[in-house]
Amino acid sequence: MNRLDGKVALISGAARGIGGETALRMAEAGARVVVGDLLDEAGQATVAAIRKAGGQAEYVHLDVTKEADWTAAIELATGRFGKLDVLVNNAGVFIGKSIEEISLEEWDRLVAVNMTGVFLGTRMAVPALREAARGAEHGSAIVNLASIAGLVGSQLDPLYSMTKGGVTLFTKSAALEFGRKGYRIRVNSIHPGVIETDMGEQTFAARARRAGHNDTAPLRQGVAESVPWGRLGVALDIAKGIVFLASDDAGYMNGAGLVVDGGFTAA
Ligand SMILES: NC(=O)c1ccc[n+]([C@@H]2O[C@H](COP(=O)([O-])OP(=O)(O)OC[C@H]3O[C@@H](n4cnc5c(N)ncnc54)[C@H](O)[C@@H]3O)[C@@H](O)[C@H]2O)c1
């Protein structure tokens, strides 16, 4: 189940957090992995951890807002590992400010990373993904990191929510376009709830700021208690979902969104 034997995957924002955990799990499942990020040292550490566990991985400096960086990352995957079967558009940023607080520069950064990054990665990877799909029974796969904030509104960061809503529908539109063109590239999104990563920490800091203090502990506790499953999510919870969507086990999933939030948005 969920094996990625023989697959080659490129993951953006894979130096830490959900992307880092996904890189480790994909390698564990048999994939050869290209780790892309802005954080070179942490990205190299992810690669070292994969190699130490007996897997194959390469690091590439990848700013998802830069076309030339995508070209280099995809060339590394196809040059070093021979092809590209899976793209995970994971890199993302969170600002945590209200509509009235956020600056235009901050909004531009949100759009650049969370939306332009996903669009560019998808467009640039299409030729290699199409090529790999020709020889694969279940085709190639793209997994986009949306959020529960791309399904329901977010009081904490309405603009982040706008970008993730865009990723949710871009996923469906890309699945339709590639289907119509016969590319055999499945495109799905995953929608994490509140996950304990650096970004998760930023969400607690934003909640604390809004409450007029900087003590995140009670807020973290409050959010954990409001999750029907009774705890916050961890990167591994999401990585498992991403590995599934990338694998042939999800071979008939296309244009779909997988919600992994412990029931947070079930009500
Ligand atoms: N943590 C959560 O609660 C949560 C919830 C829902 C969705 N998500 C989404 O999951 C994804 C991963 O989030 P995370 O929690 O691991 O966050 P994180 O902040 O821990 O990691 C994000 C990674 O993306 C990288 N990154 C940022 N800008 C980049 C750029 N321009 N180019 C390349 N890499 C860049 C960072 O360096 C970092 O390594 C994001 O898209 C995020 O929006 C997270």
Side-chain angles (χ1 to χ4, degrees), residues 7 84-86 128-134 136 138-142 183-187 246:
K7 306 276 189 198
L84 181 68
D85 301 283
V86 175
L129 292 171
R130 275 183 76 186
E131 182 63 31
R134 287 204 184 97
H138 297 283
S140 299
I142 297 175
Y183 286 0
R184 304 186 69 247
I185 304 170
R186 297 182 297 104
V187 192

Tab-separated table of all heavy atoms in Angstrom, residues 7 84-86 128-134 136 138-142 183-187 246:
chain	number	residue	atom	x	y	z
A	7	LYS	N	9.381	5.790	-8.237
A	7	LYS	CA	8.903	7.150	-8.536
A	7	LYS	C	9.969	8.191	-8.191
A	7	LYS	O	10.780	7.994	-7.280
A	7	LYS	CB	7.645	7.477	-7.726
A	7	LYS	CG	6.508	6.484	-7.873
A	7	LYS	CD	5.668	6.757	-9.091
A	7	LYS	CE	4.414	5.889	-9.082
A	7	LYS	NZ	3.806	5.810	-10.400
A	84	LEU	N	10.450	12.680	-13.823
A	84	LEU	CA	9.711	13.293	-12.707
A	84	LEU	C	8.271	12.770	-12.736
A	84	LEU	O	7.543	13.000	-13.697
A	84	LEU	CB	9.714	14.828	-12.826
A	84	LEU	CG	8.984	15.550	-11.684
A	84	LEU	CD1	9.720	15.387	-10.356
A	84	LEU	CD2	8.816	17.044	-11.998
A	85	ASP	N	7.904	12.035	-11.670
A	85	ASP	CA	6.552	11.460	-11.583
A	85	ASP	C	5.613	12.270	-10.711
A	85	ASP	O	4.397	12.211	-10.877
A	85	ASP	CB	6.605	10.054	-10.946
A	85	ASP	CG	7.472	9.087	-11.710
A	85	ASP	OD1	7.019	8.584	-12.745
A	85	ASP	OD2	8.626	8.839	-11.272
A	86	VAL	N	6.191	12.950	-9.701
A	86	VAL	CA	5.365	13.582	-8.664
A	86	VAL	C	5.882	14.986	-8.366
A	86	VAL	O	7.081	15.182	-8.159
A	86	VAL	CB	5.429	12.755	-7.351
A	86	VAL	CG1	4.681	13.465	-6.227
A	86	VAL	CG2	4.881	11.341	-7.550
A	128	ALA	N	7.778	17.298	-18.036
A	128	ALA	CA	8.413	16.114	-17.429
A	128	ALA	C	7.347	15.162	-16.873
A	128	ALA	O	7.475	13.935	-17.004
A	128	ALA	CB	9.370	16.538	-16.313
A	129	LEU	N	6.291	15.704	-16.260
A	129	LEU	CA	5.232	14.847	-15.703
A	129	LEU	C	4.495	14.106	-16.824
A	129	LEU	O	4.139	12.932	-16.687
A	129	LEU	CB	4.239	15.682	-14.881
A	129	LEU	CG	4.782	16.276	-13.568
A	129	LEU	CD1	3.786	17.265	-12.969
A	129	LEU	CD2	5.097	15.171	-12.553
A	130	ARG	N	4.265	14.791	-17.938
A	130	ARG	CA	3.603	14.137	-19.098
A	130	ARG	C	4.440	12.989	-19.620
A	130	ARG	O	3.944	11.912	-19.933
A	130	ARG	CB	3.442	15.147	-20.248
A	130	ARG	CG	2.238	16.001	-20.159
A	130	ARG	CD	2.153	16.883	-21.386
A	130	ARG	NE	1.697	16.153	-22.571
A	130	ARG	CZ	1.658	16.672	-23.791
A	130	ARG	NH1	2.058	17.910	-24.000
A	130	ARG	NH2	1.216	15.965	-24.802
A	131	GLU	N	5.731	13.274	-19.726
A	131	GLU	CA	6.667	12.275	-20.245
A	131	GLU	C	6.655	11.017	-19.353
A	131	GLU	O	6.532	9.900	-19.845
A	131	GLU	CB	8.075	12.906	-20.285
A	131	GLU	CG	9.172	12.023	-20.833
A	131	GLU	CD	8.952	11.644	-22.295
A	131	GLU	OE1	8.354	12.446	-23.045
A	131	GLU	OE2	9.360	10.518	-22.673
A	132	ALA	N	6.738	11.250	-18.034
A	132	ALA	CA	6.757	10.113	-17.093
A	132	ALA	C	5.424	9.357	-17.132
A	132	ALA	O	5.390	8.133	-16.950
A	132	ALA	CB	7.036	10.612	-15.676
A	133	ALA	N	4.330	10.093	-17.359
A	133	ALA	CA	2.991	9.473	-17.342
A	133	ALA	C	2.819	8.458	-18.473
A	133	ALA	O	2.060	7.502	-18.332
A	133	ALA	CB	1.915	10.551	-17.454
A	134	ARG	N	3.568	8.673	-19.565
A	134	ARG	CA	3.439	7.767	-20.724
A	134	ARG	C	3.754	6.325	-20.353
A	134	ARG	O	3.114	5.405	-20.845
A	134	ARG	CB	4.382	8.209	-21.849
A	134	ARG	CG	3.884	9.461	-22.516
A	134	ARG	CD	4.419	9.617	-23.943
A	134	ARG	NE	3.966	10.900	-24.449
A	134	ARG	CZ	4.681	12.023	-24.449
A	134	ARG	NH1	5.923	12.009	-24.010
A	134	ARG	NH2	4.173	13.150	-24.885
A	136	ALA	N	3.562	5.021	-17.270
A	136	ALA	CA	3.043	4.646	-15.944
A	136	ALA	C	1.553	4.333	-16.017
A	136	ALA	O	0.777	5.139	-16.529
A	136	ALA	CB	3.276	5.787	-14.948
A	138	HIS	N	-0.792	4.419	-13.848
A	138	HIS	CA	-1.691	5.377	-13.204
A	138	HIS	C	-1.260	6.824	-13.434
A	138	HIS	O	-1.699	7.724	-12.715
A	138	HIS	CB	-1.790	5.080	-11.710
A	138	HIS	CG	-2.385	3.732	-11.426
A	138	HIS	ND1	-3.734	3.478	-11.510
A	138	HIS	CD2	-1.804	2.548	-11.124
A	138	HIS	CE1	-3.967	2.207	-11.234
A	138	HIS	NE2	-2.799	1.613	-10.997
A	139	GLY	N	-0.392	7.058	-14.409
A	139	GLY	CA	0.005	8.419	-14.754
A	139	GLY	C	0.904	9.063	-13.712
A	139	GLY	O	1.506	8.400	-12.869
A	140	SER	N	0.985	10.409	-13.793
A	140	SER	CA	1.802	11.194	-12.860
A	140	SER	C	0.879	11.929	-11.903
A	140	SER	O	-0.333	11.930	-12.090
A	140	SER	CB	2.645	12.201	-13.635
A	140	SER	OG	3.506	11.538	-14.524
A	141	ALA	N	1.482	12.580	-10.896
A	141	ALA	CA	0.627	13.226	-9.888
A	141	ALA	C	1.189	14.555	-9.408
A	141	ALA	O	2.406	14.713	-9.233
A	141	ALA	CB	0.459	12.290	-8.689
A	142	ILE	N	0.274	15.489	-9.206
A	142	ILE	CA	0.596	16.748	-8.523
A	142	ILE	C	-0.238	16.794	-7.253
A	142	ILE	O	-1.440	16.493	-7.286
A	142	ILE	CB	0.259	17.978	-9.399
A	142	ILE	CG1	1.111	17.994	-10.673
A	142	ILE	CG2	0.447	19.280	-8.604
A	142	ILE	CD1	0.769	19.118	-11.658
A	183	TYR	N	-3.288	14.427	-20.743
A	183	TYR	CA	-1.916	14.398	-20.222
A	183	TYR	C	-1.674	13.260	-19.218
A	183	TYR	O	-0.548	12.940	-18.898
A	183	TYR	CB	-1.567	15.716	-19.523
A	183	TYR	CG	-1.327	16.878	-20.448
A	183	TYR	CD1	-1.416	16.742	-21.836
A	183	TYR	CD2	-0.999	18.127	-19.934
A	183	TYR	CE1	-1.193	17.835	-22.671
A	183	TYR	CE2	-0.759	19.208	-20.764
A	183	TYR	CZ	-0.864	19.059	-22.129
A	183	TYR	OH	-0.627	20.117	-22.938
A	184	ARG	N	-2.733	12.744	-18.596
A	184	ARG	CA	-2.620	11.691	-17.574
A	184	ARG	C	-1.803	12.159	-16.347
A	184	ARG	O	-0.966	11.429	-15.823
A	184	ARG	CB	-2.041	10.398	-18.171
A	184	ARG	CG	-2.864	9.894	-19.355
A	184	ARG	CD	-2.400	8.562	-19.878
A	184	ARG	NE	-2.669	7.513	-18.942
A	184	ARG	CZ	-1.725	6.835	-18.293
A	184	ARG	NH1	-0.453	7.094	-18.501
A	184	ARG	NH2	-2.049	5.886	-17.448
A	185	ILE	N	-2.064	13.405	-15.961
A	185	ILE	CA	-1.478	13.939	-14.727
A	185	ILE	C	-2.637	14.169	-13.754
A	185	ILE	O	-3.501	15.008	-14.022
A	185	ILE	CB	-0.744	15.282	-14.963
A	185	ILE	CG1	0.332	15.139	-16.045
A	185	ILE	CG2	-0.148	15.800	-13.648
A	185	ILE	CD1	0.941	16.468	-16.505
A	186	ARG	N	-2.673	13.420	-12.655
A	186	ARG	CA	-3.712	13.636	-11.645
A	186	ARG	C	-3.325	14.847	-10.790
A	186	ARG	O	-2.157	15.009	-10.443
A	186	ARG	CB	-3.843	12.410	-10.732
A	186	ARG	CG	-4.290	11.138	-11.451
A	186	ARG	CD	-4.453	9.974	-10.489
A	186	ARG	NE	-3.213	9.582	-9.831
A	186	ARG	CZ	-2.905	9.861	-8.580
A	186	ARG	NH1	-3.742	10.517	-7.803
A	186	ARG	NH2	-1.758	9.463	-8.071
A	187	VAL	N	-4.294	15.690	-10.489
A	187	VAL	CA	-4.004	16.866	-9.661
A	187	VAL	C	-4.990	16.896	-8.490
A	187	VAL	O	-6.206	16.951	-8.708
A	187	VAL	CB	-4.141	18.184	-10.462
A	187	VAL	CG1	-3.543	19.352	-9.667
A	187	VAL	CG2	-3.476	18.078	-11.830
A	246	ALA	N	-0.057	10.902	-3.896
A	246	ALA	CA	0.992	10.778	-4.920
A	246	ALA	C	1.110	9.354	-5.447
A	246	ALA	O	1.637	9.128	-6.536
A	246	ALA	CB	2.333	11.216	-4.331
